[in-house]
Amino acid sequence: MAGMLYYPDVNPPEEILFQALLYWDSLATITTPDHRSLLSPALREIEDAGYYTPIDLNSTDYGRPLWQALVDDLLPLVERSGPETVLPATGHPSADSPELLMDTDITWNSWDRYPREVVEELLDHGVVKSVEGTRTLLIRPLMRRLLISLAAEIMASEMTRVLERRFFAHTSDYDAFHVGHVSDRERDPIQLVWQIDLGAVLPIPAPGTPISTVLAFRDRYEQERRRLVRAVQRLQHDLRSQEHGPRDVIEYSRDELVGAMAELERAGLASKIDWIRRSAYVFMAMTASTVALETSALAVPLLVGSGLAINLATNKLSRSSIAENEFSYLHLARHHFPTRNRPLKRPS
């Protein structure tokens, strides 16, 4: 089982905490060396249980790789996003400019979280501007989200290398995901991907369930939890390497998925946990042999039994964001996200 690197905030929403505890080995967010004071009570409880990893961008393990990746990728990303992304090259930006964001928040994308050489690189390219006579730096919202998304993907890769455990970037922030994964320019390279809604087979506790209850469930029902995760991982693996078609893969996975999910839900009910379902999307790069199978007929729910469905569709994401990482994750309410075979659109 892999680890989840949640972005953009230090403290994920409650349902992300539940999902991380049940279906991932551990949870990480990007913060500062004195991170403890920034954590919510729930996340402190998870850290005390040994399932949370704070990541400091300024550490020797991560600072230099982050700088190098931004140097290599920043200018193409800025060009892709258009001139309105960056601040004007002339004039003196004001801290009162309504279209700009001052970095005064406590989330990990505050400037204190970035190595100094990264900030200097952004200043050199005009991506951020300093306010004369202050230590304030200004950045446009679109560029900020672009920087967040890129940094999260870089950190997930570096954490895998440093910690010798797989980590994947995961968010519930649609804007941060969209700007880093969806190409708005026709000439940009794209990657055809499977878009899979796994929310139906990954139940999470209802809002307000105590973290202590979820932690106790995780420890007591480790076998049931891992069985469901293995079934989902097998489905993903088979979809990437399948030869007969996605419907056959779903059919082969039917019994194990339904059985593993039912087993986990029964264990939860025995622990007095009320289950709900939230859409959890995984975007998975398609192999060359799979591309030929693209068809609008795939953009329908594929039943796996017991009234349950997996929404499987094809979609197109930018090549740089998905091809090397294999998987990207997004957690959203179902009505905010398309399940048909069409380009991603911003939710209303």
Side-chain angles (χ1 to χ4, degrees):
M1 295 171 66
M4 175 198 294
L5 171 61
Y6 180 80
Y7 71 98
D9 300 322
V10 172
N11 293 291
E14 180 186 59
E15 61 186 39
I16 294 293
L17 296 179
F18 292 161
Q19 189 185 107
L21 287 175
L22 292 178
Y23 306 115
W24 301 74
D25 263 346
S26 61
L27 170 67
T29 59
I30 299 178
T31 179
T32 59
D34 58 343
H35 70 279
R36 186 76 176 181
S37 63
L38 302 180
L39 301 188
S40 67
L43 196 50
R44 285 199 294 269
E45 193 171 354
I46 292 172
E47 182 178 42
D48 291 340
Y51 300 124
Y52 171 71
T53 303
I55 298 299
D56 176 16
L57 294 178
N58 282 283
S59 72
T60 55
D61 287 327
Y62 304 117
R64 185 68 183 183
L66 176 61
W67 173 82
Q68 187 62 56
L70 290 177
V71 169
D72 293 340
D73 298 337
L74 184 61
L75 286 179
L77 286 171
V78 171
E79 181 182 358
R80 189 195 91 182
S81 300
E84 72 281 359
T85 302
V86 298
L87 295 171
T90 60
H92 301 285
S94 167
D96 297 326
S97 300
E99 76 277 14
L100 308 180
L101 288 181
M102 287 190 300
D103 245 330
T104 56
D105 57 62
I106 63 169
T107 57
W108 71 264
N109 46 348
S110 175
W111 295 123
D112 289 341
R113 310 303 187 260
Y114 287 96
R116 183 61 200 173
E117 59 265 34
V118 170
V119 177
E120 291 174 351
E121 194 75 30
L122 297 174
L123 285 166
D124 288 344
H125 290 312
V127 174
V128 300
K129 292 282 187 179
S130 59
V131 178
E132 187 174 356
T134 74
R135 297 181 67 249
T136 299
L137 299 176
L138 303 179
I139 186 171
R140 288 193 185 277
L142 179 60
M143 190 63 222
R144 184 175 185 170
R145 290 192 294 267
L146 188 59
L147 180 61
I148 291 168
S149 180
L150 175 62
E153 296 289 351
I154 295 166
M155 285 302 98
S157 176
E158 289 302 310
M159 290 170 66
T160 298
R161 176 184 62 82
V162 172
L163 302 178
E164 298 182 343
R165 289 182 286 129
R166 291 296 299 273
F167 276 86
F168 293 96
H170 185 117
T171 189
S172 58
D173 185 322
Y174 181 88
D175 287 334
F177 182 89
H178 189 277
V179 75
H181 292 81
V182 180
S183 174
D184 294 322
R185 294 157 65 99
E186 291 184 0
R187 68 174 181 266
D188 286 344
I190 60 163
Q191 169 72 48
L192 198 64
V193 298
W194 290 124
Q195 173 189 309
I196 315 170
D197 180 2
L198 293 174
V201 294
L202 298 176
I204 58 174
T209 302
I211 287 293
S212 57
T213 299
V214 183
L215 286 168
F217 178 85
R218 174 187 173 114
D219 293 339
R220 183 174 182 181
Y221 294 103
E222 178 75 1
Q223 182 175 347
E224 290 83 355
R225 187 176 67 89
R226 286 185 175 272
R227 180 189 173 190
L228 180 54
V229 173
R230 284 196 298 268
V232 170
Q233 290 176 338
R234 177 63 182 271
L235 170 67
Q236 293 174 329
H237 176 271
D238 288 350
L239 281 171
R240 292 198 76 232
S241 59
Q242 54 80 32
E243 298 177 355
H244 305 292
R247 293 182 184 275
D248 288 339
V249 171
I250 296 290
E251 184 65 30
Y252 298 152
S253 304
R254 180 196 306 266
D255 292 342
E256 181 59 18
L257 278 170
V258 172
M261 186 207 67
E263 187 177 74
L264 186 80
E265 290 194 323
R266 284 195 299 269
L269 293 176
S271 298
K272 303 188 184 307
I273 290 179
D274 293 325
W275 296 108
I276 63 171
R277 290 181 170 83
R278 291 286 189 269
S279 291
Y281 291 93
V282 57
F283 298 87
M284 184 173 58
M286 296 170 70
T287 61
S289 62
T290 316
V291 171
L293 295 169
E294 182 195 8
T295 167
S296 59
L298 300 179
V300 297
L302 299 179
L303 297 180
V304 296
S306 302
L308 198 58
I310 292 179
N311 287 307
L312 175 67
T314 55
N315 221 315
K316 297 175 181 179
L317 300 182
S318 64
R319 184 179 303 278
S320 60
S321 67
I322 187 67
E324 295 180 359
N325 299 301
E326 296 182 356
F327 301 100
S328 286
Y329 295 88
L330 176 65
H331 188 94
L332 273 180
R334 182 174 287 107
H335 69 277
H336 277 165
F337 206 76
T339 56
R340 296 294 177 184
N341 185 20
R342 60 176 183 263
L344 304 183
K345 299 295 183 183
R346 186 178 305 278
S348 56

